[in-house]
Each structure stands twice: as C-alpha cells, then as structure tokens.
Amino acid sequence: MEDKNDLHKIGIFVAPSTLVIGIIIALIFNFSLTTINNTNHVWMISMFLGLFTGLMNFSFLLRGSRPSYTDAYSGKNNLMKRSMLYFFFRIITFGAIFSIVTVNQLTVNHPSFNVIPTAIGYFLHLVIFLIVYIIFNLKRKKENN
C-alpha cells in the first residue's frame, strides 16, 4: 500500500462488512445455542463486544495513520508520535476488554461474558481486513499489468 489513502479506502469496505457478518454470526449464536443459564445471550453479547473492540482498534489504526492538517501547516512531522500513541491505545483497549472478560468468566458463577465468542468477534474483523487487503492488492496488480 504505497498511498496512505489506500488504508482508508480499505476501511470503507471493512467496517460495514464486518458489522453485517458479525451481526449474522451473533444472531446465529443467539438462536442456535441452549438457553440454559442464558448461554445464547452471553455468547451474543460477547460476540458484539469482541466485534466492537476490533472495530475500535481498527479506527485507532486509521486515525493514527492519518497525518493532521496542523502538521502540514506548521512544518512538524508528528506522524510517528501519533502512530505510537494510537498503537498504545490499541494495546490498552484490547488488554482491558479481554482481561475484564476473562476475570468475569473465571470468577463469577453465572458469567456475563465469555472469552471464546469475544475472540471470535475480534478476529472476525482481522480476517475480513485481510481478505479486503488481498482483494485490493490483486486489483492493483491487475491495473499495473
């Protein structure tokens, strides 16, 4: 991805498709799992939590990779500092959400969250991002030939 705008173009396709596929999978979890101890609702909510965590981390990635207009006018290049700041936001967000989910699942008799569907929701975003990235690269190779 030579142009910085390519990441933002990919983001236009990644976010809506991730939401649609994630909602479908969460509804499948809700309707197909057993209702003992509200397992279906726990998995659905955990799926949404992982999905939104992944999308929030993706938005941090997009925001951190975009140079600001104040940098362009002032002559400063703070892109590396901003990228590192948003990288730490991504790590803190991911760590906080998954540690809360893990502690809730391991310490409570009837947990409100489950780690497995949270991870499925989070990694669903990464899989869709990878697929869209590969499609964009194949399209670019065809245009260059």
Side-chain angles (χ1 to χ4, degrees), residues 6-128:
D6 281 351
L7 184 61
H8 297 282
K9 290 177 187 175
I10 289 173
I12 292 171
F13 295 105
V14 169
S17 58
T18 301
L19 279 175
V20 169
I21 294 171
I23 288 171
I24 291 170
I25 292 173
L27 289 175
I28 289 171
F29 285 160
N30 188 33
F31 293 125
S32 65
L33 295 175
T34 180
T35 57
I36 299 171
N37 294 332
N38 287 331
T39 304
N40 53 354
H41 295 297
V42 169
W43 275 59
M44 183 180 73
I45 290 170
S46 297
M47 174 73 183
F48 282 133
L49 183 64
L51 183 71
F52 292 135
T53 302
L55 288 174
M56 185 169 46
N57 278 344
F58 185 64
S59 70
F60 285 153
L61 173 71
L62 290 178
R63 181 66 182 126
S65 68
R66 183 175 59 190
S68 69
Y69 293 108
T70 57
D71 291 342
Y73 290 122
S74 68
K76 297 178 183 177
N77 189 2
N78 292 330
L79 185 59
M80 184 62 179
K81 290 180 184 177
R82 187 178 310 107
S83 295
M84 291 307 293
L85 176 70
Y86 281 104
F87 177 72
F88 288 123
F89 282 162
R90 292 172 62 200
I91 289 174
I92 290 170
T93 303
F94 177 82
I97 296 294
F98 275 88
S99 63
I100 289 170
V101 169
T102 304
V103 166
N104 180 268
Q105 184 178 358
L106 296 177
T107 60
V108 179
N109 290 337
H110 300 289
S112 302
F113 302 106
N114 194 327
V115 174
I116 295 171
T118 306
I120 290 171
Y122 185 80
F123 290 116
L124 173 70
H125 157 262
L126 295 176
V127 167
I128 291 174

